[in-house]
Amino acid sequence: MKHIKYSDLLIVRNLTVNSDGVNILDGVSFSLSKGECLCLTGPSGAGKTVLLKCLNRLIKPSAGEILLDGHDTGKMNPVEVRKQICLVGQLPVLFAGTVKDNLAYPFTFRANQNLPVPDYATLMENVGLSPEYLTKNASKLSGGERQKVATARALGLKPAILLFDEPTAALDEASKLVIDDQIRKLNRDYGMTIIVVTHDMEEARRLSRRILRIKEGHLEEI
């Protein structure tokens, strides 16, 4: 296990999630440095998605703590945590309307109305899409395009960490490689700190030099 340093952007200590008397996560600890891309793998039902949801306060852990830049996320406003640690799901939800409407959606919330509105064309370019996509109907996009738009929407909030939950599981092989390349670019060229959950070890090795595996609630470094 990597030694936990106080300089790490994210520190997870002894995280436990108990459901009906069973520990889905059992004393999980790890750290994440700024600008790092980390992959989490493991069998179905091992707790990978549960861990991501704990990180952005969608699930409250039974025990343990999560520190973001030294701050205990358990004591922060959950909305603020989700702005700082953004989760892009396996099947990203896009709303009716144009791609631009979807990028603007987070800024319609009262909690975000004081945030600077990003340059939507730049967000498109950051995920490898032409600004012409801004006027396209979101419902007409392919699976890979939807994943990219969801990523761009998260980037608009300028998060400290991006979480991807099985981002290519529903895609064909060609689209999977495109998304993997885009994640590498976000990490390498834009310095984004990223955690990717994947069951595909080949994909994990493409994306990251550091891979953690969850098995029976415990974490081990590969």
Side-chain angles (χ1 to χ4, degrees):
M1 178 62 62
K2 180 186 174 186
H3 178 62
I4 291 178
K5 307 186 296 295
Y6 285 98
S7 59
D8 286 327
L9 178 61
L10 182 73
I11 297 173
V12 178
R13 289 198 189 104
N14 300 316
L15 198 70
T16 297
V17 175
N18 185 283
S19 178
D20 296 326
V22 176
N23 282 343
I24 300 172
L25 299 177
D26 190 3
V28 166
S29 297
F30 70 97
S31 62
L32 183 71
S33 300
K34 185 175 182 180
E36 184 178 4
C37 181
L38 170 70
C39 280
L40 290 171
T41 188
S44 297
K48 303 185 297 295
T49 298
V50 170
L51 177 53
L52 290 193
K53 289 183 176 181
C54 285
L55 295 181
N56 85 332
R57 290 288 301 275
L58 285 173
I59 291 178
K60 182 179 179 180
S62 307
E65 64 179 353
I66 300 168
L67 303 180
L68 175 64
D69 203 17
H71 300 284
D72 185 348
T73 61
K75 298 177 181 178
M76 295 170 61
N77 184 315
V79 174
E80 185 60 32
V81 174
R82 290 169 199 147
K83 284 192 289 187
Q84 291 295 311
I85 307 178
C86 284
L87 174 61
V88 179
Q90 178 179 340
L91 298 173
V93 176
L94 298 185
F95 305 101
T98 65
V99 167
K100 184 177 179 181
D101 292 335
N102 274 269
L103 298 184
Y105 181 75
F107 300 94
T108 64
F109 293 102
R110 182 177 299 176
N112 295 341
Q113 286 177 352
N114 292 326
L115 294 178
V117 176
D119 181 332
Y120 297 129
T122 299
L123 287 181
M124 287 287 89
E125 292 169 351
N126 286 348
V127 297
L129 293 177
S130 163
E132 296 173 357
Y133 270 82
L134 290 170
T135 59
K136 290 194 175 186
N137 188 326
S139 67
K140 304 297 184 182
L141 300 180
S142 69
E145 290 168 340
R146 292 172 67 86
Q147 189 67 244
K148 288 185 175 185
V149 171
T151 302
R153 185 171 58 195
L155 288 174
L157 293 171
K158 298 185 177 180
I161 302 173
L162 266 180
L163 309 176
F164 290 95
D165 187 10
E166 300 275 11
T168 62
L171 303 180
D172 60 48
E173 193 62 31
S175 298
K176 177 185 292 189
L177 293 175
V178 169
I179 294 298
D180 285 351
D181 184 65
Q182 195 57 50
I183 291 173
R184 286 197 302 267
K185 184 174 182 178
L186 288 172
N187 175 245
R188 181 185 64 240
D189 296 348
Y190 299 108
M192 283 299 308
T193 307
I194 296 171
I195 298 177
V196 181
V197 160
T198 177
H199 66 276
D200 185 336
M201 281 301 300
E202 288 187 12
E203 179 175 53
R205 293 188 180 101
R206 282 197 298 268
L207 293 174
S208 179
R209 296 178 180 177
R210 185 168 167 236
I211 303 170
L212 302 181
R213 177 166 54 202
I214 301 178
K215 186 177 180 180
E216 296 179 351
H218 299 281
L219 201 63
E220 61 182 9
E221 190 156 354
I222 298 176

